[in-house]
Amino acid sequence: MIENVSAVIIVKNGADTLKETLDSLRQFQEVVLYDNGSTDTTLEIAASYHNVSVHIGAFVGFGRTKQNAVNCASNEWVFSLDADEMVSAELSDFLTRWDPAQDKHLAIKVRRDNFLMGEWVKYAGWGGDWLVRLFNRSCHNFNDNDVHESVLLDEQSRVESIAFPISHNAVQHLGQFLVKVDRYTEISRSSAKTYPPSIIMLKTLWRFVESYFLRGGFLAGWRGLAIAWSNANGVFYKYMKVYADKHK
């Protein structure tokens, strides 16, 4: 049993993946689920796990929402996870033996293996994904970024990596790419800058070339093409939405 580390998750309408996530966290004595207004069966799923405590709060951007979730934990050491991510059995076993009597400035990175419709994708920017997920909340927490949030480090932070991964069930069907592009570009809409349409197109094309060719997306077959196209779409709508708002 993992008694001195709390798993912390934010979620909204995560029923499609949440059960698999919570199944992977059965070794944790405390799992904090911070719900942002789910209307599907997320809360019913959570209620079936004795180690899950549900907290309700508004979504105020990914960074600040994760800060609020971390603050709900009863332990100082927290392991942050998304509602479509699973802790590997190896990582869970490691944490049962891990001594939390560590330097509180320690921040631990783990490798995230990203899956698209059941297959691990190592190209198009989806490989080599190392993220700080285990940290002491008295010294670390997430930054304020609305999107692309990360754990804020300082000059006292001591970062280590461990070899045991988490799995990210990022996309279960291709339509989710469209939903995610729209959601993320809406969240960043108020703060994003923009460019003339010609520059937006060049940036869009560059993101596709970077993802598909330079980062090896073509090696992942149709999955790599879908990822590269989605990345390009994200760039296009990030800037074009703001441009359209200013030129109504």
Side-chain angles (χ1 to χ4, degrees):
M1 183 65 67
I2 304 168
E3 298 179 352
N4 297 307
V5 179
S6 299
V8 177
I9 306 167
I10 70 168
V11 65
K12 181 177 181 181
N13 295 334
D16 288 347
T17 57
L18 184 62
K19 184 179 186 304
E20 193 174 5
T21 297
L22 296 181
D23 281 346
S24 78
L25 299 175
R26 290 186 182 275
Q27 292 273 54
F28 282 80
Q29 183 169 295
E30 179 180 69
V31 178
V32 172
L33 190 74
Y34 193 80
D35 186 83
N36 308 142
S38 293
T39 56
D40 63 2
T41 59
T42 289
L43 296 181
E44 288 85 347
I45 292 170
S48 67
Y49 292 82
H50 73 277
N51 61 337
V52 175
S53 62
V54 175
H55 303 259
I56 307 296
F59 180 81
V60 289
F62 282 101
R64 286 176 293 163
T65 303
K66 288 189 175 182
Q67 291 172 20
N68 294 337
V70 165
N71 291 335
C72 293
S74 62
N75 291 304
E76 290 297 294
W77 287 97
V78 300
F79 191 95
S80 178
L81 205 67
D82 290 341
D84 57 1
E85 296 175 340
M86 286 68 69
V87 170
S88 64
E90 296 86 357
L91 177 56
S92 184
D93 289 343
F94 168 81
L95 291 174
T96 62
R97 302 187 304 271
W98 185 70
D99 180 9
Q102 303 273 350
D103 176 4
K104 63 183 181 180
H105 296 286
L106 177 66
I108 294 183
K109 285 185 175 182
V110 297
R111 191 186 78 228
R112 183 172 68 172
D113 297 338
N114 298 296
F115 288 77
L116 195 165
M117 294 178 63
E119 184 169 311
W120 180 17
V121 179
K122 307 175 188 178
Y123 305 102
W126 277 32
D129 204 1
W130 287 86
L131 304 165
V132 172
R133 289 302 184 85
L134 176 60
F135 56 90
N136 190 300
R137 67 189 180 119
S138 68
C139 293
H140 299 107
N141 209 324
F142 285 88
N143 57 26
D144 292 337
N145 291 4
D146 289 337
V147 295
H148 306 306
E149 75 290 348
S150 61
V151 174
L152 193 61
L153 304 175
D154 57 33
E155 64 278 359
Q156 291 183 291
S157 301
R158 183 169 61 85
V159 180
E160 293 183 358
S161 299
I162 55 176
F164 311 113
I166 59 176
S167 297
H168 182 206
N169 188 6
V171 174
Q172 300 91 57
H173 56 84
L174 284 186
Q176 289 178 317
F177 275 126
L178 302 175
V179 174
K180 289 185 177 186
V181 164
D182 185 55
R183 184 186 184 198
Y184 276 69
T185 54
E186 282 296 312
I187 292 170
S188 62
R189 189 171 185 164
S190 61
S191 58
K193 58 184 178 180
T194 191
Y195 301 93
S198 58
I199 301 299
I200 294 173
M201 281 302 302
L202 287 173
K203 285 182 170 288
T204 300
L205 290 170
W206 168 249
R207 180 54 61 86
F208 179 82
V209 169
E210 178 190 43
S211 298
Y212 192 68
F213 294 104
L214 300 184
R215 306 190 77 171
F218 65 92
L219 296 172
W222 67 264
R223 286 176 170 84
L225 177 62
I227 293 167
W229 192 263
S230 178
N231 289 344
N233 261 339
V235 171
F236 179 81
Y237 285 106
K238 173 183 177 180
Y239 296 120
M240 188 55 75
K241 283 184 177 182
V242 179
Y243 184 88
D245 288 341
K246 294 181 177 181
H247 295 83
K248 291 180 180 178

